[in-house]
Amino acid sequence: MGHAASSELPDGELLNYVSMVLGVLLYLFIIYISVPLTVRLFPPVLRKFVYLNFLAYPFGVDYHKPEVFVKRTKNFYLTSEPGVTVGIWYALAGNRWEEAEGKDFSWYEEALADDNPIIIYLHGNGGTRATSHRVNFMKAMSGGGFHVLALDYRGYADSTGNPSEKGFTTDVLCLYNWAKARSGNSPIIFWGHSLGTGIATNTARKLKEQEGIIVDAVILEAPYTTIRDAAATIPITLIYRKFPGFESLILDTMARA
């Protein structure tokens, strides 16, 4: 009588197969566990993924030549605190373009007091002040009669220093004070996009609480509440949202960074 073919693996092969599966699962588990622990021990790892400042696109930009991107625009730098210098593009209001021909930066500074509104533009994560949609914003708003000051926070583009929520606020306070000293009766507006919305509101709050200054206007485009909340929505945290200790290991670490 013939024997029916068996679909079972020999004991040796089955053991090898089980060992391989367990090894893969253990490897994946170690990776899964190591990410939140790494974030806890080294918060800059998560900051990189939230701020995306390493994605300095477009690449190869000469920030000293902003008129390649936006008409009647000057590049300048401010030292927001010792060791930190931030880069800014100043796009002149369109109704002053003709008379700006051949003028130096001191003329541009004086122009801030011409009663045209001043926008301090605070961009989102990733990219730089030369990124296309930000350039388009500067073109549209300057063409509409606004002076636009587009800041790259510390750690972005050609700005020095390392990104942090507190540091960003310090950078914007520095730019606001610089603009306020030159603005005369021109209103100053914070326009924040995405990441920049939290920075705009933090800076406006600090000005009110510490100096009694109320910013003329704050415009929030695609806002969030805190860096902690922003960290909860980035793709890398998706698989950890049900992880025990997700908030303390990742979100609270981000908030303290």
Side-chain angles (χ1 to χ4, degrees):
M1 180 181 294
H3 295 283
S6 174
S7 61
E8 296 182 0
L9 293 173
D11 290 344
E13 290 185 21
L14 179 61
L15 183 60
N16 289 338
Y17 178 76
V18 171
S19 297
M20 181 184 69
V21 171
L22 290 176
V24 170
L25 291 175
L26 179 61
Y27 178 73
L28 293 175
F29 179 74
I30 291 172
I31 293 176
Y32 182 76
I33 290 292
S34 66
V35 170
L37 292 178
T38 300
V39 166
R40 181 68 172 181
L41 295 173
F42 306 101
V45 172
L46 184 57
R47 283 207 302 267
K48 286 288 185 182
F49 285 98
V50 172
Y51 300 138
L52 299 178
N53 59 302
F54 58 92
L55 297 178
Y57 56 88
F59 303 102
V61 171
D62 184 350
Y63 294 99
H64 293 88
K65 298 179 179 179
E67 287 203 355
V68 172
F69 296 87
V70 186
K71 186 177 181 179
R72 297 291 186 264
T73 300
K74 296 292 186 182
N75 180 71
F76 69 102
Y77 299 91
L78 294 175
T79 299
S80 59
E81 63 183 14
V84 177
T85 300
V86 293
I88 301 133
W89 280 356
Y90 167 11
L92 187 72
N95 55 12
R96 305 295 304 277
W97 285 351
E98 289 187 10
E99 58 187 298
E101 181 68 33
K103 297 296 195 300
D104 61 13
F105 188 70
S106 62
W107 182 90
Y108 275 71
E109 288 185 82
E110 293 173 1
L112 289 171
D114 63 6
D115 293 338
N116 283 311
I118 301 166
I119 293 175
I120 293 180
Y121 180 62
L122 307 174
H123 65 64
N125 59 356
T128 70
R129 60 193 185 277
T131 301
S132 60
H133 66 278
R134 294 164 191 163
V135 167
N136 290 337
F137 175 88
M138 284 183 266
K139 288 179 178 177
M141 301 312 292
S142 62
F146 294 84
H147 298 301
V148 182
L149 300 172
L151 165 75
D152 266 317
Y153 323 110
R154 62 185 63 200
Y156 283 81
D158 55 345
S159 298
T160 62
N162 296 311
S164 70
E165 187 171 13
K166 180 180 178 181
F168 293 161
T169 302
T170 299
D171 297 340
V172 179
L173 281 171
C174 176
L175 177 55
Y176 176 84
N177 290 330
W178 180 90
K180 189 66 176 176
R182 294 158 176 79
S183 63
N185 294 321
S186 302
I188 298 179
I189 302 163
F190 286 160
W191 188 307
H193 172 245
S194 187
L195 176 71
T197 63
I199 300 168
T201 53
N202 279 345
T203 308
R205 178 177 55 83
K206 282 189 175 295
L207 284 168
K208 177 64 170 63
E209 292 176 352
Q210 297 179 3
E211 302 180 37
I213 296 173
I214 298 177
V215 178
D216 294 301
V218 178
I219 298 174
L220 306 179
E221 181 184 357
Y224 71 99
T225 51
T226 65
I227 291 292
R228 186 183 189 278
D229 291 339
T233 63
I234 61 175
I236 194 174
T237 65
L238 179 63
I239 61 173
Y240 292 100
R241 290 172 194 170
K242 301 299 183 182
F243 183 87
F246 169 68
E247 292 194 1
S248 61
L249 281 174
I250 296 181
L251 299 187
D252 290 345
T253 298
M254 190 66 213
R256 290 193 295 269

